[in-house]
Amino acid sequence: MSYHHSQMMFSQPMPRQSMAEADAYTGKSAETRHLKPGEISTGTTIMAVQFDGGVILCADSRVSTGAYVANRASDKIAQLHDHIWCCRSGSAADTQALTDYVRHYLAQLAVETGRPPEVKVAAHLMRRLCYENKDNLMAGVIVGGWDPVSGGSVYSIPLGGACIPLPFAIGGSGSTFIYGLVDAEFRENMTKDEALALVKKAVSHAMARDGSSGGIIRTLVATEEGNEKDYVSGNQLPYGPAGW
Amino acid sequence: MARRYDSSTTTFSPEGRLHQVEYAIEAINNAGTSVGILASDGVVMASEKKITSGLLAPARTSEKTYKLCPHATCSVAGLTADANILIDQARLRAGRYAYQYQEPIPIENLVEHVCNYKQAYTQYGGLRPFGVAFLFAGYDENHGFQLYQSDPSGNYSGWKATVIGANNQAGKSLLKTEYGSSSSKEEGDEMKTDDADAAAEKITMPNVAEARRLAVKVLNKTMDGAVASPE
C-alpha cells in the first residue's frame, strides 16, 4: 500500500516571492485570503491559559458555512498526544489535516525516543507545517499542554506560521472582542479554578458579540495527573442574554 | 555440494533450498534467547540480555525489546543493526496505518508488513537477508492478544508459546510439556475441573502470572546457569 504526503510536506527553506507578486490571485497573503465558497469555517473563539500546575484550553462550539451553523456542538480542542492538545480555528478541513499530521509525527517521535514529547516540539511541528504551506492553508492554532521538562506551556500559531510562546493566548474571530477583558483579568500563577473561571468568562463574552462563535463552551485541563474534559452548556454561560 | 548454490540469495539449490536464508537463521542461534508466551489476559515476553563486556556503558535502551506502537511490542534475536532497520519499518508502518485509517493497526497486518520487507531481501537485489528473528506481541480488537514469530525468510506464524535465539530447541521442548498443563500452576491456583471431553493433553491457557513464571523457568534452562541480569 503506497501512501504519499503529496502537497503538504516539511520542505527545505525556499526564497519567498517578492511582495508585488504576493497579492496575485493565486498567491494571496494569508491575511487577505478568504475561505473558498462553501468551505466550512471554525469561525471561533479559542483560548489557552497557563496556571499553576498546567494549562487550560477553552473553545466555543460553533462551526459555520456562511450563515448556516453546520455543527453547534463541535469539539475544537484536539488531542495531539497524551498531555498535548491544540485549539483549532480557521478552516475546519485545514486544521483537521494539520492535527492529523502532527499527531502522527508526535506518535512516531514518542515511540522512537521512549519519552513523552515536549509541548514546544509539538508546537514547532505544527508551526513548520503552517509556515511551509502558508499559501494553501487558513489555520490559526493554539498548542497547549503539559510535559515533564517545562510544565504547562502555551504556544500561539497564527495565520502566517509564527510560533509565539505566551502565558495565555486567544484566537479565532471572536478573540478580537475580548483582548481588553483578558488583558485586564489575566494574572500569572492562578489556581485551576481561577483560570477556569477566567476562560469561561472570556469565551462567553466573545460568544455574545461574535456571530461566528456560539453554542457551548468546552474546556480541557491538562496537568501532570492527566486531562479533564468538561463543558458549559449554552443556557448556563457565565455571560450572555438569558434564554440562549 | 552446497557451495555452488549458497553464495547468492536469489538462487535455489538443487534440493530446493535457499542456503543464504538458512545461514541467516544459523546466525540467530548464537544470539540471546527470547521466549514468548500467550496468556488468557496478555502476552509475556522474556529475554536474555548477554553482558559482553563489563566496560560497556549502562544502556538507556534495550537491544532485545522494542515498543512498536501503543499496542504492540517486539523482542529481537540476532543482529541488532539489522533489527534496527526492521523496527524502524515496523514503527513507520504502524504510524502510517493509524494516520490513514484512524485506528490501531491489526497485529497480523504489522507482522506481515515486516515479513514482506524481509522476503524481498531473499528474492531480489542480490542483498543478503536480515539476520534477525522477531517475536511480536500485541493486542487488537478482532483477535485479542496475539504472539507471532518471524525469521529471516520472511515467514511468520502465530504461536501460543515459542522460543528464539540460543538453545531454542531446549526451550521449546520444555514449553511443550509445561505450557497449559497443571504442573505450571502453583498451590492455590484454580485447578481445571474434570469434564467428559478433557484429555490429559488438553491445553488450558495460563494467565499472565503463570505465563511469567513459565517464561522465567524456560530462560533458566536455556541460559544454562549463566548469571541472570535484571532484564
Side-chain angles (χ1 to χ4, degrees), chain A residues 1-3 5 97 100-101 103-104 108 111-113 115, chain B residues 60 67-69 91-96 99-102:
Chain A
M1 177 208 78
S2 99
Y3 137 103
H5 289 268
D100 283 351
Y101 270 110
R103 189 181 292 130
H104 170 61
Q108 289 293 294
V111 138
E112 284 175 32
T113 58
R115 287 194 295 278
Chain B
R60 297 194 71 244
K67 177 172 159 179
L68 301 175
C69 58
R91 286 172 169 169
L92 268 175
R93 170 70 180 146
R96 286 173 175 165
Y99 173 79
Q100 175 141 357
Y101 298 103
Q102 295 291 307

Side-chain angles (χ1 to χ4, degrees), chain A residues 9-67:
Chain A
M9 284 280 281
F10 290 124
S11 57
Q12 296 308 316
M14 276 179 44
R16 304 286 311 149
Q17 292 174 303
S18 77
M19 284 307 296
E21 297 159 59
D23 292 335
Y25 187 71
T26 46
K28 276 187 263 190
S29 67
E31 286 72 22
T32 56
R33 201 178 326 117
H34 301 291
L35 289 166
K36 307 185 204 30
E39 196 184 355
I40 293 183
S41 150
T42 53
T44 284
T45 311
I46 52 176
M47 184 167 169
V49 147
Q50 252 180 336
F51 71 96
D52 178 29
V55 145
I56 299 187
L57 284 82
C58 185
D60 77 305
S61 68
R62 179 169 293 178
V63 178
S64 43
T65 319

Side-chain angles (χ1 to χ4, degrees), chain A residues 6 21 32 43 54 64-65 83 87 108 112 115 119 124 127 131 146 159 185 208 211 216 226 241:
Chain A
S6 70
E21 297 159 59
T32 56
S64 43
T65 319
H83 294 273
C87 297
Q108 289 293 294
E112 284 175 32
R115 287 194 295 278
V119 182
H124 179 79
R127 156 283 158 90
Y131 176 73
W146 183 92
L159 245 41
E185 305 239 325
I216 63 177

Side-chain angles (χ1 to χ4, degrees), chain B residues 27-196:
Chain B
I28 294 157
N29 289 334
N30 297 325
T33 316
S34 275
V35 54
I37 301 180
L38 186 60
S40 53
D41 52 341
V43 188
V44 174
M45 288 204 296
S47 313
E48 171 200 358
K49 183 172 169 180
K50 281 196 172 159
I51 302 170
T52 45
S53 164
L55 289 174
L56 276 173
R60 297 194 71 244
T61 53
S62 162
E63 88 267 13
K64 298 299 285 182
T65 319
Y66 298 86
K67 177 172 159 179
L68 301 175
C69 58
H71 62 291
T73 321
C74 71
S75 184
V76 168
L79 276 52
T80 307
D82 286 10
N84 284 339
I85 306 293
L86 293 168
I87 284 159
D88 283 348
Q89 275 294 307
R91 286 172 169 169
L92 268 175
R93 170 70 180 146
R96 286 173 175 165
Y97 183 100
Y99 173 79
Q100 175 141 357
Y101 298 103
Q102 295 291 307
E103 67 157 33
I105 186 170
I107 307 297
E108 186 168 353
N109 196 306
L110 179 59
V111 172
E112 187 161 336
H113 176 82
V114 174
C115 286
N116 287 347
Y117 193 85
K118 286 203 258 191
Q119 187 276 343
Y121 287 73
T122 69
Q123 197 172 16
Y124 345 94
L127 302 169
R128 66 164 176 83
F130 289 91
V132 195
F134 283 105
L135 291 178
F136 293 96
Y139 176 87
D140 62 44
E141 230 178 13
N142 294 108
H143 301 291
F145 293 104
Q146 298 149 70
L147 173 66
Y148 295 92
Q149 175 183 340
S150 79
D151 64 22
S153 66
N155 278 319
Y156 70 89
S157 39
W159 292 82
K160 295 175 193 165
T162 187
V163 189
I164 54 174
N167 291 327
N168 58 71
Q169 317 90 306
K172 278 185 191 164
S173 62
L174 180 61
L175 281 174
K176 247 191 215 146
T177 50
E178 293 277 340
Y179 180 84
S181 75
S182 52
S183 64
S184 75
K185 299 180 201 282
E186 289 188 344
E187 291 291 326
D189 283 353
E190 221 181 273
M191 297 300 288
K192 180 172 74 70
T193 54
D194 278 317
D195 61 282

